[in-house]
């Protein structure tokens, strides 16, 4: 009797404020969002914001401290088991994001007698790093739609795809339509509402992918504007967990739910039941038929 009363009170309190979401598992993906490590533009911009207008920061590369941040994030994804589960790495086609992506999620060291195309050639992007192998790691694909704010700041203008293919041979650049950067304009800075809309389209594209666990290596502004489009139905503290600004080389894991049937993947864990077939009239339906 006491137990029944407690459970009824608990049920009543839970019903007073619905706080959960329930979705089919096959319509959910785990997305590991990563902001790039410290770049030379971050250091210069911290000292003087006008430095972001300098051509010296064109397609900014990582600093030595940034590479240390990458090393530490790599240790984390290894220790946590994330690296074993990721099926795809999506990366913004700028030097700092490419370096962060391959440094964090790239393959193991070369072994005797094993030859594989490197993800990154030795010394790429003014680094002192050895070549990063593509052995035993997920595929990497570069996508323009997760770039930083477009325009005005030279650090956000990318190099040619021809150059990137030379530096990052095992990264797939096939989804990028033009060799040169035609999206970046010297006198027009992309507005926040436009990058947010671009980010939502990017998330919709992710939902169509077959992979269930994906890493995305991108930028602070892109993440902040995109993620603020989500979580409006959550408690403010939960929305803040989703959309607050990222630190350099921060990783934040979220679940992306396809509510609009973007994906056609069938459920792989569901079981149809009734094998072999037999009488199966549920009692609640029987009551309705009385």
């Amino acid at each position: 009797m006491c137990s029944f009363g407690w459970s009824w009170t608990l049920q009543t309190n839970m019903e007073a404020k619905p706080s959960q979401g329930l979705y089919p598992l096959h319509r959910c993906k785990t997305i590991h969002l990563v902001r790039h490590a410290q770049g030379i533009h971050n250091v210069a911009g911290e000292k003087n914001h006008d430095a972001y207008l300098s051509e010296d920061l064109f397609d900014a590369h990582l600093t030595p401290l940034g590479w240390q941040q990458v090393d530490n994030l790599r240790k984390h994804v290894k220790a946590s088991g994330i690296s074993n589960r990721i099926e795809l790495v999506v990366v913004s086609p700028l030097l700092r994001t490419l370096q962060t992506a391959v440094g964090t999620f790239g393959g193991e060291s070369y072994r005797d007698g094993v030859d594989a195309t490197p993800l990154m050639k030795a010394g790429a992007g003014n680094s002192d790093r050895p070549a990063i192998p593509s052995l035993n790691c997920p595929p990497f694909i570069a996508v323009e739609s997760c770039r930083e704010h477009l325009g005005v700041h030279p650090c956000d203008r990318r190099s040619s795809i021809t150059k990137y293919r030379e530096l990052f041979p095992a990264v797939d650049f096939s989804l990028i339509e033009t060799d040169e950067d035609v999206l970046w304009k010297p006198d027009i800075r992309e507005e926040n509402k436009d990058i947010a809309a671009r980010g939502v389209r990017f998330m919709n594209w992710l939902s169509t992918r077959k992979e269930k666990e994906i890493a995305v290596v991108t930028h602070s502004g892109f993440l902040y504007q995109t993620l603020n489009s989500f979580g409006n139905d959550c408690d403010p503290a939960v929305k803040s967990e989703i959309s607050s600004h990222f630190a350099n080389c921060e990783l934040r894991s979220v679940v992306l739910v396809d509510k609009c049937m973007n994906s056609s993947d069938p459920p792989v864990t569901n079981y149809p039941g009734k094998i072999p077939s037999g009488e199966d009239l549920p009692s609640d339906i029987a009551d309705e038929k009385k």
Side-chain angles (χ1 to χ4, degrees):
M1 187 69 176
C2 291
S3 175
F4 177 81
W6 175 86
S7 63
W8 175 256
T9 301
L10 177 61
Q11 180 181 1
T12 302
N13 289 340
M14 291 179 68
E15 288 175 347
K17 185 180 179 182
S19 59
Q20 309 301 322
L22 196 63
Y23 305 99
L25 179 61
H26 71 287
R27 302 212 174 273
C28 301
K29 297 182 189 295
T30 300
I31 310 296
H32 302 284
L33 301 168
V34 179
R35 181 192 173 196
H36 64 78
Q38 185 192 71
I40 59 170
H41 65 305
N42 296 132
V43 177
E46 184 86 15
K47 297 175 181 176
N48 178 7
H49 189 268
D50 291 340
Y52 283 116
L53 300 175
S54 172
E55 280 291 333
D56 293 339
L57 300 178
F58 163 64
D59 198 10
H61 58 81
L62 296 188
T63 64
L65 178 67
W67 277 108
Q68 292 178 37
Q69 293 171 342
V70 169
D71 291 340
N72 286 327
L73 179 56
R74 182 180 179 86
K75 292 175 184 175
H76 168 74
V77 300
K78 293 286 187 184
S80 64
I82 292 174
S83 59
N84 294 327
R85 301 194 303 269
I86 288 175
E87 302 169 69
L88 178 70
V89 178
V90 178
V91 56
S92 163
L94 275 86
L95 188 53
R96 59 190 181 271
T97 39
L98 287 162
Q99 289 176 318
T100 301
V102 301
T104 301
F105 301 108
E108 305 297 333
S109 299
Y110 289 112
R111 300 183 181 92
D112 291 341
V114 177
D115 187 22
T117 303
L119 278 168
M120 186 182 88
K121 287 188 174 179
N126 295 304
S127 73
D128 61 356
R129 293 286 164 139
I132 297 176
S134 59
L135 295 171
N136 301 319
C137 68
F140 288 67
I141 187 166
V143 177
E144 295 257 45
S145 56
C146 63
R147 284 177 58 175
E148 185 56 291
H149 278 91
L150 297 167
V152 180
H153 294 174
C155 60
D156 299 327
R157 188 170 83 246
R158 69 166 171 81
S159 300
S160 70
I161 299 304
T162 299
K163 177 179 178 180
Y164 285 151
R165 283 194 169 117
E166 179 182 345
L167 296 177
F168 303 94
V171 175
D172 181 358
F173 293 97
S174 63
L175 292 183
I176 298 179
E177 297 179 354
T178 60
D179 188 47
E180 298 297 332
D181 189 354
V182 299
L183 300 177
W184 187 93
K185 307 297 181 186
D187 54 351
I188 302 174
R189 185 72 170 165
E190 187 177 23
E191 295 186 16
N192 289 342
K193 64 180 179 64
D194 295 324
I195 193 172
R198 171 159 62 86
V200 170
R201 291 193 297 271
F202 172 76
M203 290 295 188
N204 288 340
W205 174 76
L206 283 182
S207 72
T208 68
R209 298 287 311 187
K210 65 181 181 179
E211 298 86 3
K212 293 300 182 183
E213 196 147 354
I214 300 172
V216 177
V217 183
T218 179
H219 308 265
S220 174
F222 174 83
L223 287 165
Y224 183 74
Q225 299 301 332
T226 299
L227 296 179
N228 265 286
S229 301
F230 297 87
N232 295 319
D233 56 344
C234 298
D235 184 273
V238 176
K239 181 174 175 61
S240 178
E241 286 185 25
I242 297 170
S243 58
S244 58
H245 281 288
F246 277 61
N248 278 133
C249 222
E250 180 179 350
L251 181 151
R252 203 175 295 173
S253 302
V254 298
V255 174
L256 179 64
V257 180
D258 175 18
K259 298 181 180 180
C260 301
M261 303 288 286
N262 288 327
S263 173
S264 59
D265 291 343
V268 295
T269 58
N270 290 3
Y271 182 73
K274 211 171 181 178
I275 301 174
S277 181
E279 292 78 7
D280 186 21
L281 180 64
S283 60
D284 58 328
I285 295 178
D287 290 340
E288 293 172 3
K289 291 184 176 182
K290 287 183 178 180

